[in-house]
């Protein structure tokens, strides 16, 4: 094997050897062999035949080998000159290792391991081939045949080979290698088959000849690996872009469907229906919106991660479809939250309005019923002609009675005006049953006007006969005059005691209670008035009985009887404790409402500042330099965990808020925080911690990809923080320029310096927002020295796969690349139209340029 290997190289110099230990003794052919395999000239040899000349030549050869970094252990020139077979073979094996095997490198392994890995990679697709070493793995000959077929499939019909015929396989491989690949027969098939463990050095020497023969194909494999890496990046980025587009579309569609529902201001006619609307809104805030908040936050994180990956792979920034930028999502989200706020305010105002309407409508019905009851029969009474046949005393009585009626009528004027005012307010508040209210009110007003006209007409008739009427019972008249206002007072008292009320605070109910207590204090005086009125009636009865006056036992001046006065008085006394009970119940309800206010306020006053504090602490963590980025990331994740664990307190506050709304409580003096403030703050906190974690992850991604040390990252952060004086997390153009200068970046104040700075700003602020983020700052500081793939590198790799042609074929792509990436290229490469084009030729140059151009998405 060693002899054949040496002759394969000496043949180039026009000579051969037959016996290694004999032919190398004078050192001449040994020096010639080293010159051929190294391509370098050795020192001039000694041509004399004396031993000293031979030793000098061999020493020159050994010195040259040693100059290549090879340690020659126990090998001396005298042993080689003396024909020591063991020493001579050891020297030749050392030469083979250094010049045929040592330079082999596959995936950062070298020498024996690299050569073995190369063999495994090349023979992996072949059945019955399993290369694990350089001895028994090659005994069946299939390994040698597979290496040849992998690179020159036309030389061997691999499908016809059999594992149980090793001699045929070995001889086929050796013959083909010698005839077509210029690799001499270094091994004997019979020796390999007949040996339990073939010589490892011989196998390695022979296999290394295959490696060097196919070195061009190795370059193609390297080029293919580079292309696969670039295509994998593009495929991954395109998938991320598609995922972003879908998530953005789904979120925008949900917002588009939700906003019209929130903007619908069609009112309901009943409190129950409006309460259902409020409950539906709470379900939306509690169940439907939170997942969308998470989707929005995830969308921003995906977008930032994608942009970071694009920057790190030297790809252009991702521009979403029109209307699907992160800013578009934020604008749409802002519109959603504005609609939410308006909708909730409208719901609460509508509930207040309906509550007020129900109260007014009930009040209207009560007052209308009382008035209609009072007016019942009054028109018929006023239209009587009883004065035409009455006696003088009866006429006078009728006149006095009419005067009392007019007093009563005037007393009822306020009630009619109140009824009209309530109807007007119901109309202004858009009460759903306003037509029936208006009809009833109009009927009362028309009747009232008619009563006024009839009253005036009857008075005129009575006054015409007044001169004929001279006597009148003063006691009856006094009774009537005192009974009428007292009766009105009792009716007013009954009306007030039965009047419904609506309050929202303890102070309001205390005011009603005070007024009620004041009313109860007037009852003793009222009772005295009642006794006095009844005394007048008793005096009349005594006079009638004493003087037998023909009065028919009735008072001609009033219809109010003592029985009515006593009955109404008793009714007033019964209503007083009922009113007491109603006020006490309302007072208890208001105390419960105040407890709810204090309970909500106490929690909100803790949760609100807690959220603000956490926001500030997260901001400090994101700009401080304590520990590594991983330390900051762990710190932030611990904060995120503590924040998530705080969620039950938010839910508890939501429950208290729901109780407050169900109790129709609309203000709270115990806190400046509303539930809306807490919700918005909580959502901002969740978004901020997630966004900050993503920013640190992207910084780690950038640091690792760009090879930035922790010290450099700290220096960048310290410089950035120094000039970020407002702690906004961004630098303005002038702050950014000062930061660059502090780091040693040369930016002059002349026109050239301004142009250079404008170029830098276009890199770090491509959207011209006027600010530079820390991520963009890090990218800029590392990108110009980073080792990144370029379109030219990819183009050069394709040129290697194409065999130095200006085009590449489908078969070449499928042979050199994995199936999925080969099909990826075939589907996207344009046809090649050059003069040297062949059918099916593809243009890899325009494809390589497009990889680093604008995205299709």
């Amino acid at each position: 094997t060693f002899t054949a290997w040496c002759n394969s190289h000496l043949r180039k110099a026009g000579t051969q050897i037959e016996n290694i230990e004999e032919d190398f003794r004078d050192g001449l052919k040994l020096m010639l062999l080293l010159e051929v395999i190294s391509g370098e000239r050795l020192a001039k040899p000694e041509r004399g035949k004396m031993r000293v000349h031979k030793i000098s030549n061999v020493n020159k050869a050994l010195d040259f080998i040693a100059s290549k970094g090879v340690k020659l252990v126990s090998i001396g020139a005298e042993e080689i000159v003396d024909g020591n077979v063991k020493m001579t073979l050891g020297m030749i094996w050392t030469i083979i290792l250094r010049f045929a095997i040592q330079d082999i490198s596959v995936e950062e392994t070298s020498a024996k391991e690299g050569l073995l890995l190369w063999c495994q990679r090349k023979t992996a697709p072949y059945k019955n081939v399993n290369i694990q070493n350089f001895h028994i793995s090659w005994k069946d000959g299939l390994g040698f045949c597979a290496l040849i077929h992998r690179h020159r499939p036309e030389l061997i019909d691999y499908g016809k080979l059999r594992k149980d015929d090793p001699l045929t396989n070995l001889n086929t491989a050796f013959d083909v290698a010698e005839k077509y690949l210029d690799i001499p027969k270094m091994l004997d098939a019979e020796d390999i088959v007949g040996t339990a463990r073939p010589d490892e050095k011989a196998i390695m020497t022979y296999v290394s000849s295959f490696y060097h023969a196919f070195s061009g194909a190795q370059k193609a494999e390297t080029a293919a690996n580079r292309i696969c890496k670039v295509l994998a990046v593009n495929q991954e980025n395109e998938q991320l872009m598609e995922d972003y587009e879908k998530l953005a579309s789904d979120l925008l569609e949900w917002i588009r469907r939700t906003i019209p529902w929130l903007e619908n201001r069609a009112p309901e006619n009943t409190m129950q229906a409006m309460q259902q609307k409020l409950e539906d809104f709470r379900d939306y805030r509690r169940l439907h919106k939170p997942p969308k908040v998470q989707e929005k936050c995830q969308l921003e994180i995906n977008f930032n991660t994608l942009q970071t990956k694009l920057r790190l792979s030297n790809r252009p920034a991702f521009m979403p479809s029109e209307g699907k930028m992160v800013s578009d999502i934020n604008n749409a989200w802002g519109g959603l939250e504005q609609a939410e706020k308006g909708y909730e305010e409208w719901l609460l105002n509508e509930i207040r309005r309906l509550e007020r309407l129900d109260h007014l409508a009930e009040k209207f019905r009560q007052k209308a019923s009382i008035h209609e009851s009072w007016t019942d029969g009054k028109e018929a009474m006023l239209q009587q002609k009883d004065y035409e046949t009455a006696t003088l005393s009866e006429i006078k009585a009728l006149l006095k009675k009419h005067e009392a009626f007019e007093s009563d009528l005037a007393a009822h004027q306020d009630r009619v005006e109140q009824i009209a005012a309530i109807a007007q307010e119901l109309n202004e508040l858009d009460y759903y049953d306003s037509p029936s209210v208006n009809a009833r009110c109009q009927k009362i007003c028309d009747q009232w006007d008619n009563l006024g006209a009839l009253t005036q007409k009857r008075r005129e008739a009575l006054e015409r006969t007044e001169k004929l009427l001279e006597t009148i019972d003063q006691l009856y008249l006094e009774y009537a005059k005192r009974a009428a206002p007292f009766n009105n007072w009792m009716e007013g008292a009954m009306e007030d005691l039965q009047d419904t009320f609506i309050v929202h605070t303890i102070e309001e109910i205390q005011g009603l209670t005070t007024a009620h207590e004041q009313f109860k204090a007037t009852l003793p005086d009222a009772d005295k008035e009642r006794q006095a009125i009844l005394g007048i009636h008793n005096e009349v009865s005594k006079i009638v009985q004493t003087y037998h006056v023909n009065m028919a036992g009735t008072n001609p001046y009033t219809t109010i009887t003592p029985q009515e006065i006593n009955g109404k008085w008793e009714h007033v006394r019964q209503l007083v404790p009922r009113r007491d009970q109603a006020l006490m119940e309302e007072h208890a309800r208001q105390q419960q409402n105040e407890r709810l206010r204090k309970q909500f306020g106490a929690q909100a006053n803790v949760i609100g500042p807690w959220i603000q504090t956490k926001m500030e602490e997260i901001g400090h963590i994101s700009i401080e330099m304590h520990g590594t980025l991983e330390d900051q990331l762990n710190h932030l994740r611990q904060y995120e965990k503590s924040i998530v664990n705080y969620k039950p307190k938010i839910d508890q506050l939501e429950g208290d808020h729901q109780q407050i709304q169900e109790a129709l409580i609309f203000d709270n003096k115990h806190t400046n925080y509303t539930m809306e403030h807490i919700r918005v703050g909580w959502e901002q906190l969740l978004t901020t911690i997630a966004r900050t974690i993503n920013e640190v992850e992207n910084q780690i991604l950038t640091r690792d990809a760009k090879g930035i040390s922790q010290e450099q990252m700290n220096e960048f952060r310290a410089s950035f923080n120094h000039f970020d004086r407002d702690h906004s997390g961004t630098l303005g153009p002038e702050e950014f320029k000062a930061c660059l200068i502090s780091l040693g970046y040369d930016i002059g104040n002349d026109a050239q310096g301004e142009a250079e700075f404008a170029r830098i700003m276009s890199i770090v602020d491509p959207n011209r927002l006027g600010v530079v983020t820390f991520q963009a700052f890090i990218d800029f500081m590392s990108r110009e020295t980073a080792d990144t793939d370029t379109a030219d590198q990819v183009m050069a790799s394709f040129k290697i796969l194409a065999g130095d042609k200006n085009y590449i074929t489908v078969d070449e792509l499928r042979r050199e690349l994995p199936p999925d990436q080969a099909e990826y290229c075939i589907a996207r490469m344009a046809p090649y139209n050059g003069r040297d084009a062949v059918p099916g030729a593809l243009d890899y140059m325009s494809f390589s340029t497009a990889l680093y151009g604008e995205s299709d998405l």
Side-chain angles (χ1 to χ4, degrees):
T1 300
F2 288 0
T3 301
W5 183 84
C6 292
N7 283 333
S8 69
H9 293 286
L10 288 172
R11 186 168 59 246
K12 300 175 184 177
T15 186
Q16 295 279 280
I17 62 171
E18 294 181 1
N19 186 291
I20 285 181
E21 62 269 26
E22 291 297 328
D23 291 347
F24 282 156
R25 289 177 65 180
D26 61 3
L28 294 175
K29 289 188 178 181
L30 177 61
M31 293 178 68
L32 183 62
L33 174 65
L34 290 172
E35 288 183 347
V36 171
I37 62 179
S38 69
E40 301 180 24
R41 297 288 294 177
L42 274 67
K44 186 176 180 181
E46 301 289 343
R47 295 295 181 181
K49 296 185 178 295
M50 297 177 64
R51 177 179 173 81
V52 67
H53 297 145
K54 297 178 182 180
I55 290 175
S56 175
N57 290 337
V58 173
N59 274 327
K60 290 177 182 179
L62 295 178
D63 289 343
F64 179 78
I65 295 171
S67 72
K68 297 302 179 181
V70 179
K71 287 188 177 182
L72 297 170
V73 181
S74 302
I75 298 178
E78 290 78 2
E79 289 84 352
I80 304 300
V81 172
D82 292 340
N84 186 316
V85 176
K86 181 178 179 181
M87 291 295 181
T88 304
L89 292 177
M91 178 188 66
I92 297 302
W93 174 241
T94 299
I95 292 173
I96 292 172
L97 279 178
R98 171 60 184 85
F99 294 101
I101 298 176
Q102 182 175 321
D103 292 337
I104 296 174
S105 177
V106 179
E107 289 193 0
E108 300 183 0
T109 62
S110 60
K112 181 179 179 180
E113 291 79 7
L115 184 61
L116 183 63
L117 179 59
W118 178 79
C119 294
Q120 290 171 340
R121 291 280 177 82
K122 294 301 181 182
T123 60
Y126 294 87
K127 64 180 181 178
N128 297 327
V129 177
N130 183 18
I131 304 300
Q132 298 297 327
N133 50 56
F134 285 110
H135 37 82
I136 61 175
S137 293
W138 303 86
K139 285 190 65 173
D140 60 9
L142 291 179
F144 295 112
C145 293
L147 282 179
I148 297 173
H149 185 268
R150 178 69 176 83
H151 296 90
R152 296 288 300 276
E154 74 279 6
L155 298 181
I156 290 181
D157 188 352
Y158 187 85
K160 292 183 178 180
L161 300 178
R162 301 199 329 269
K163 188 175 181 65
D164 60 357
D165 190 5
L167 280 176
T168 300
N169 299 339
L170 289 166
N171 283 321
T172 298
F174 297 163
D175 293 341
V176 169
E178 184 175 42
K179 182 176 181 181
Y180 296 103
L181 302 178
D182 199 25
I183 298 175
K185 278 189 179 181
M186 301 182 188
L187 303 172
D188 184 85
E190 287 75 7
D191 288 346
I192 293 176
V193 173
T195 303
R197 190 176 188 274
D199 183 79
E200 186 176 49
K201 294 178 180 177
I203 298 292
M204 282 182 64
T205 302
Y206 188 53
V207 171
S208 69
S209 298
F210 282 88
Y211 176 87
H212 291 295
F214 296 133
S215 61
Q218 182 67 21
K219 293 179 181 177
E221 180 178 349
T222 302
N225 288 337
R226 176 181 289 275
I227 291 172
C228 289
K229 178 182 176 182
V230 172
L231 295 180
V233 170
N234 261 50
Q235 289 172 310
E236 180 185 1
N237 289 343
E238 288 179 7
Q239 185 61 49
L240 290 174
M241 295 175 192
E242 292 174 3
D243 293 343
Y244 174 90
E245 290 280 323
K246 183 178 186 306
L247 187 56
S249 298
D250 293 345
L251 188 57
L252 287 170
E253 174 61 20
W254 178 79
I255 294 173
R256 185 192 65 77
R257 293 196 314 269
T258 304
I259 286 181
W261 172 66
L262 294 172
E263 291 178 341
N264 180 13
R265 299 295 189 269
E268 301 291 343
N269 293 331
T270 65
M271 278 283 287
Q272 182 180 4
M274 287 306 298
Q275 288 283 8
Q276 184 59 49
K277 277 183 177 287
L278 182 60
E279 186 61 32
D280 292 343
F281 179 73
R282 288 177 183 143
D283 286 342
Y284 157 79
R285 288 304 303 263
R286 185 171 57 248
L287 302 175
H288 304 302
K289 186 184 177 188
K292 300 302 177 182
V293 173
Q294 294 298 320
E295 288 182 15
K296 175 177 175 292
C297 179
Q298 190 61 45
L299 186 75
E300 294 180 13
I301 291 173
N302 290 354
F303 182 84
N304 293 335
T305 300
L306 173 59
Q307 298 293 40
T308 299
K309 288 187 176 182
L310 290 172
R311 285 195 301 272
L312 295 178
S313 59
N314 201 26
R315 302 304 198 274
F318 169 54
M319 289 297 293
S321 302
E322 184 176 356
K324 296 179 184 176
M325 292 286 290
V326 172
S327 58
D328 297 325
I329 304 295
N330 287 334
N331 290 337
W333 191 264
L336 175 73
E337 293 187 328
Q338 191 63 32
E340 275 182 19
K341 181 179 180 182
Y343 187 66
E344 186 173 31
E345 291 175 353
W346 173 77
L347 282 174
L348 296 177
N349 287 333
E350 274 298 301
I351 289 173
R352 290 193 191 106
R353 185 180 70 84
L354 288 175
E355 181 188 33
R356 175 69 176 160
L357 282 173
D358 289 346
H359 173 69
L360 288 174
E362 180 61 24
K363 196 167 187 176
F364 174 87
R365 285 190 288 272
Q366 285 187 8
K367 289 185 177 296
S369 296
I370 292 171
H371 178 76
E372 289 165 347
S373 176
W374 178 83
T375 58
D376 184 40
K378 294 294 190 293
E379 289 175 301
M381 181 195 73
L382 291 171
Q383 291 173 334
Q384 290 182 75
K385 303 293 185 177
D386 52 345
Y387 55 84
E388 293 179 351
T389 57
T391 63
L392 183 61
S393 60
E394 290 173 339
I395 291 298
K396 286 187 175 288
L398 288 176
L399 184 59
K400 297 301 181 180
K401 180 180 179 181
H402 190 69
E403 289 176 355
F405 172 78
E406 286 181 324
S407 177
D408 201 6
L409 186 68
H412 279 77
Q413 178 68 33
D414 286 342
R415 184 179 288 114
V416 175
E417 291 175 355
Q418 290 174 8
I419 291 172
I422 293 173
Q424 178 63 28
E425 189 171 359
L426 287 171
N427 279 310
E428 291 173 354
L429 293 175
D430 196 22
Y431 183 52
Y432 77 98
D433 199 22
S434 288
S436 64
V437 170
N438 291 337
R440 190 172 185 182
C441 181
Q442 187 63 45
K443 182 179 179 182
I444 289 172
C445 291
D446 292 345
Q447 185 187 41
W448 184 256
D449 292 338
N450 190 38
L451 282 175
L454 290 175
T455 299
Q456 182 63 27
K457 183 177 180 181
R458 183 170 177 81
R459 166 170 278 282
E460 291 172 353
L462 291 172
E463 286 177 346
R464 282 194 300 269
T465 58
E466 185 180 11
K467 293 180 180 179
L468 301 176
L469 305 177
E470 299 177 352
T471 59
I472 191 69
D473 190 338
Q474 292 299 324
L475 290 174
Y476 269 12
L477 181 59
E478 183 181 359
Y479 174 90
K481 287 184 177 180
R482 295 180 70 172
F486 184 70
N487 183 67
N488 283 331
W489 176 86
M490 288 192 297
E491 289 182 347
M494 288 188 291
E495 185 176 345
D496 290 340
L497 290 170
Q498 296 178 89
D499 189 17
T500 58
F501 53 82
I502 176 172
V503 294
H504 295 99
T505 66
I506 290 180
E507 289 77 13
E508 291 177 357
I509 191 62
Q510 287 175 342
L512 290 177
T513 302
T514 299
H516 183 60
E517 292 299 323
Q518 291 173 352
F519 166 76
K520 289 196 294 184
T522 65
L523 290 178
D525 290 338
D527 192 37
K528 291 179 181 179
E529 177 66 8
R530 181 180 67 87
Q531 295 291 347
I533 293 172
L534 293 177
I536 294 172
H537 180 76
N538 292 336
E539 185 67 21
V540 170
S541 298
K542 185 186 294 185
I543 293 172
V544 169
Q545 293 175 4
T546 301
Y547 297 100
H548 305 289
V549 176
N550 187 20
M551 300 295 292
T554 61
N555 190 332
Y557 307 118
T558 181
T559 59
I560 301 171
T561 67
Q563 292 76 15
E564 288 179 357
I565 291 175
N566 286 331
K568 290 180 179 179
W569 176 256
E570 186 61 29
H571 191 201
V572 168
R573 292 184 60 191
Q574 293 173 356
L575 289 175
V576 168
R578 295 180 191 173
R579 185 72 167 186
D580 287 334
Q581 182 64 28
L583 290 172
M584 288 175 59
E585 291 175 354
E586 181 61 26
H587 189 274
R589 190 175 77 88
Q590 289 303 323
Q591 285 182 321
Q592 171 64 10
N593 288 353
E594 184 67 7
R595 187 190 66 78
L596 290 176
R597 288 188 183 97
K598 290 180 178 179
Q599 179 175 313
F600 178 86
Q603 290 189 78
N605 289 336
V606 172
I607 292 174
W610 182 88
I611 290 175
Q612 181 62 32
T613 300
K614 288 300 177 185
M615 289 285 286
E616 294 172 356
E617 290 174 352
I618 291 168
H620 291 319
I621 293 172
S622 67
I623 65 173
E624 290 174 352
M625 295 179 292
H626 298 317
T628 65
L629 288 176
E630 284 76 9
D631 293 336
Q632 295 180 33
L633 185 61
N634 290 333
H635 199 180
L636 285 169
R637 283 175 174 159
Q638 290 173 4
Y639 260 79
E640 184 180 39
K641 184 177 180 181
S642 70
I643 289 169
V644 171
N645 290 338
Y646 203 75
K647 181 63 164 58
K649 295 185 182 296
I650 304 296
D651 295 337
Q652 181 181 353
L653 192 65
E654 282 282 6
D656 292 344
H657 177 64
Q658 181 171 342
Q659 291 183 43
I660 283 177
Q661 286 193 331
E662 289 172 350
L664 301 177
I665 300 172
F666 302 111
D667 57 356
N668 193 341
K669 65 183 179 181
H670 301 292
T671 181
N672 292 324
Y673 293 98
T674 65
M675 195 63 229
E676 183 63 26
H677 291 149
I678 300 298
R679 289 170 184 153
V680 172
W682 177 252
E683 291 171 2
Q684 288 177 345
L685 180 60
L686 291 178
T687 301
T688 298
I689 187 64
R691 185 185 295 118
T692 305
I693 287 174
N694 178 244
E695 289 173 355
V696 176
E697 289 174 338
N698 284 340
Q699 290 176 27
I700 293 173
L701 192 62
T702 302
R703 182 198 66 192
D704 295 343
K706 300 296 187 178
I708 302 173
S709 68
Q710 187 62 47
E711 290 75 15
Q712 287 177 306
M713 185 65 76
N714 289 342
E715 181 185 0
F716 292 158
R717 171 54 81 184
S719 299
F720 189 90
N721 289 349
H722 176 75
F723 291 97
D724 181 18
R725 295 182 175 88
D726 58 356
H727 305 295
S728 64
T730 60
L731 299 180
E734 292 305 317
E735 294 173 327
F736 177 56
K737 179 187 286 187
C739 185
L740 289 180
I741 294 173
S742 74
L743 290 171
Y745 210 94
D746 185 15
I747 301 177
N749 292 323
D750 53 6
Q752 182 177 355
E754 292 299 324
E756 172 64 9
F757 184 65
R759 180 189 71 82
I760 294 173
M761 284 300 295
S762 68
I763 295 173
V764 297
D765 182 22
N767 295 324
R768 298 181 179 179
L769 300 177
V771 294
V772 180
T773 64
F774 182 61
Q775 184 64 45
F777 173 67
I778 294 175
D779 289 344
F780 171 74
M781 294 305 296
S782 59
R783 65 180 293 164
E784 296 192 351
T785 58
D787 181 20
T788 58
D789 291 321
T790 65
D792 290 340
Q793 290 175 328
V794 176
M795 204 179 300
S797 299
F798 273 118
K799 194 173 185 69
I800 292 174
L801 298 187
D804 210 35
K805 301 191 298 295
N806 293 325
Y807 60 85
I808 195 166
T809 66
V810 171
D811 291 340
E812 288 169 337
L813 287 171
R814 288 175 174 160
R815 184 179 71 233
E816 300 295 343
L817 298 179
D820 61 328
Q821 295 189 335
E823 299 307 320
Y824 179 86
C825 294
I826 294 168
R828 287 165 172 75
M829 280 189 183
Y832 176 74
N833 297 321
R835 293 182 178 179
D836 53 342
V838 299
L842 298 176
D843 187 354
Y844 62 78
M845 295 184 183
S846 63
F847 174 77
S848 300
T849 302
L851 285 177
Y852 293 86
E854 292 298 329
S855 167
D856 293 338
L857 294 177

